[in-house]
Amino acid sequence: NAGVMQNPRHLVRRRGQEARLRCSPMKGHSHVYWYRQLPEEGLKFMVYLQKENIIDESGMPKERFSAEFPKEGPSILRIQQVVRGDSAAYFCASSPGRDETQYFGPGTRLLVL
Amino acid sequence: GQQLNQSPQSMFIQEGEDVSMNCTSSSIFNTWLWYKQDPGEGPVLLIALYKAGELTSNGRLTAQFGITRKDSFLNISASIPSDVGIYFCAGQFKDSGTYKYIFGTGTRLKVLA
């Protein structure tokens, strides 16, 4: 049973470009969560999605960030017009139900030059 | 807002020693979780605790959910070099109908052979 998959593992972008991060949840999991981790810090919640719906986006910056989890395919975290401060590790987690244990992917490390 | 205080921030220990770390909060959580993160990887779940007072073991790891539901500790017995990494506690709470995780800032463990 494959775990949570994220790609790419590393992403380099220049300021102003767009970053697209993908997450495929574990088989049988329909709940996806995105977190951001800055160096030497813990993970900070960004957004919680269930198939085709955003349930909670209270941790998402109001501008430039968006997330989706379509009926078919992976969840996408999209960052438009990236800035240096967006450089971080972005982790996706999935769970089978809304209050069940979350399992994390390996993360995407975004570097903005 | 919810906050978790995790201590110690870092520790160097000799192989074979026991390790103890804890998380405290002024808020109540309904689930406590402990994760380990290796460099360049995502957090891996070690132990999940669901009831106040619960004491759970996973090999050399033991964790307890505090009676007040505001704290948890993780013990590692007879440490070995592969225990090196960052250990995060996470508390789950319900906010506006959705369940969220909040993470501690991590305990960085280094084991000297």
Side-chain angles (χ1 to χ4, degrees), chain B:
Chain B
Q2 305 276 2
Q3 269 194 310
L4 284 185
N5 300 307
Q6 186 170 350
S7 66
Q9 285 190 337
S10 62
M11 50 197 313
F12 281 84
I13 59 167
Q14 292 286 338
E15 184 178 359
E17 287 185 358
D18 295 344
V19 174
S20 186
M21 59 193 80
N22 70 84
C23 274
T24 60
S25 176
S26 57
S27 305
I28 290 174
F29 294 98
N30 52 21
T31 300
W32 280 95
L33 306 104
W34 286 92
Y35 289 86
K36 183 189 177 201
Q37 185 176 25
D38 291 326
E41 298 296 328
V44 174
L45 181 66
L46 299 174
I47 293 180
L49 303 153
Y50 301 104
K51 281 171 43 176
E54 181 181 352
L55 183 71
T56 297
S57 292
N58 178 8
R60 293 177 297 105
L61 277 60
T62 302
Q64 184 158 32
F65 191 148
I67 289 289
T68 63
R69 295 170 60 194
K70 295 182 180 180
D71 63 314
S72 177
F73 71 74
L74 174 71
N75 288 341
I76 306 173
S77 62
S79 58
I80 59 178
S82 62
D83 290 334
V84 68
I86 306 175
Y87 292 80
F88 290 101
C89 62
Q92 186 193 51
F93 63 100
K94 195 170 183 180
D95 179 27
S96 303
T98 64
Y99 287 89
K100 296 182 180 177
Y101 280 20
I102 182 167
F103 280 80
T105 49
T107 294
R108 284 144 187 82
L109 178 64
K110 300 192 178 173
V111 180
L112 306 173

